[in-house]
Amino acid sequence: MKMIEAVIFDMDGVLTDTMPLYYEATRDTLLPFGIEYTWEQNDRLKGISRRETIRTVWEEAGRKIEEELEIRLAEERNRRYLQLMDSLTPDHILPGMESFLKELKENGIRMAVASSSRNAPEVLKKTGLSWAFEYTIDPLSLNRGKPDPEIFLKARELLGVEERRCVGIEDGEAGLRGLLETGMFTVGVGSDPFMRNADWSIASTWDLTLEALQEKHHKWCVT
């Protein structure tokens, strides 16, 4: 039986409950321009860059944004997010994830974070999760962001494991689209209908245990 040797995690919405911070930072950045930012957009745009988020919301409001303003608003959104990030503590770890990470670590399963956020190392530090991960991929080191699979392929390469012995966990459509191109076993977390395209779709991080993951992975390997 092919065993799991590594797990690659998205961060926001998988490891940490930080999506409300993104919502508040983006909403407050766009509000002075008369653009409403919704929770639906916040969920749908998980995993894409801050500039692409600003551009997409602007276009969905029926307006065209100049590149200079797009860059400025992306920087402003990040500034607001960094202020909100000061409030992060281990209480922002999603349910069941700390015990799941410990279980993986105790069983010699290697881990990496593949997040579109440039702030991932600081978020992991503030929530007390840095200890779990050998690698946190810097999105600035990539040629293409999610939904391109590059970030996951780079993480797997650094971990040095075969595709079929590696698991990728995502909660956003852009990220899962990328994972589905990698040959890894995929886990989709949450209520987004697109998560049903994963090899294993779960409602909540509570559902993640090593035993359940190994069982699903084994069934996937033999089909």
Side-chain angles (χ1 to χ4, degrees):
M1 180 174 76
K2 285 187 177 293
M3 299 296 293
I4 297 167
E5 293 183 356
V7 180
I8 299 170
F9 294 83
D10 179 37
M11 183 182 70
D12 302 305
V14 172
L15 294 167
T16 57
D17 186 20
T18 37
M19 293 312 297
L21 277 62
Y22 284 105
Y23 170 74
E24 187 173 341
T26 310
R27 180 200 63 193
D28 292 351
T29 298
L30 295 174
L31 198 58
F33 296 88
I35 293 179
E36 181 182 0
Y37 183 66
T38 67
W39 276 105
E40 184 276 330
Q41 288 172 312
N42 200 59
D43 287 337
R44 176 162 46 83
L45 300 177
K46 289 176 183 176
I48 66 173
S49 71
R50 60 186 72 144
R51 282 188 60 181
E52 190 174 350
T53 297
I54 295 294
R55 186 186 321 125
T56 300
V57 176
W58 208 269
E59 290 173 351
E60 289 179 357
R63 295 161 66 174
K64 184 176 181 180
I65 188 169
E66 298 295 330
E67 184 178 15
E68 182 180 350
L69 180 59
E70 177 186 307
I71 293 171
R72 181 163 65 84
L73 291 183
E75 291 173 349
E76 171 63 15
R77 179 209 188 211
N78 188 54
R79 184 188 68 79
R80 291 176 181 271
Y81 176 77
L82 290 175
Q83 289 177 335
L84 295 169
M85 204 171 72
D86 285 340
S87 66
L88 285 176
T89 71
D91 289 338
H92 288 84
I93 300 171
L94 282 166
M97 289 309 295
E98 190 168 14
S99 60
F100 180 56
L101 295 176
K102 288 178 180 176
E103 194 177 17
L104 295 177
K105 197 81 165 179
E106 289 167 0
N107 284 272
I109 295 172
R110 304 169 67 193
M111 292 173 277
V113 171
S115 170
S116 298
S117 174
R118 302 179 198 175
N119 301 309
E122 187 65 18
V123 172
L124 295 173
K125 180 180 176 181
K126 285 182 174 294
T127 53
L129 292 179
S130 300
W131 59 268
F133 303 101
E134 290 184 47
Y135 302 102
T136 300
I137 305 303
D138 179 0
L140 292 179
S141 70
L142 306 172
N143 294 312
R144 298 166 298 278
K146 299 175 185 179
D148 191 274
E150 182 183 6
I151 192 169
F152 303 110
L153 296 174
K154 183 169 185 177
R156 185 193 61 78
E157 181 182 358
L158 288 169
L159 291 166
V161 299
E162 298 174 16
E163 290 93 338
R164 290 182 68 81
R165 294 179 183 265
C166 192
V167 173
I169 305 179
E170 262 285 356
D171 75 316
E173 179 176 338
L176 184 55
R177 284 187 182 278
L179 268 178
L180 290 169
E181 296 183 32
T182 64
M184 302 178 202
F185 179 79
T186 59
V187 180
V189 181
S191 59
D192 185 330
F194 193 78
M195 295 303 105
R196 297 172 194 156
N197 292 287
D199 299 304
W200 183 27
S201 178
I202 57 177
S204 163
T205 51
W206 273 124
D207 298 321
L208 281 168
T209 66
L210 180 55
E211 181 180 7
L213 181 61
Q214 287 175 327
E215 180 183 346
K216 296 291 183 180
H217 177 262
H218 175 63
K219 288 180 179 178
W220 174 75
C221 282
V222 298
T223 55

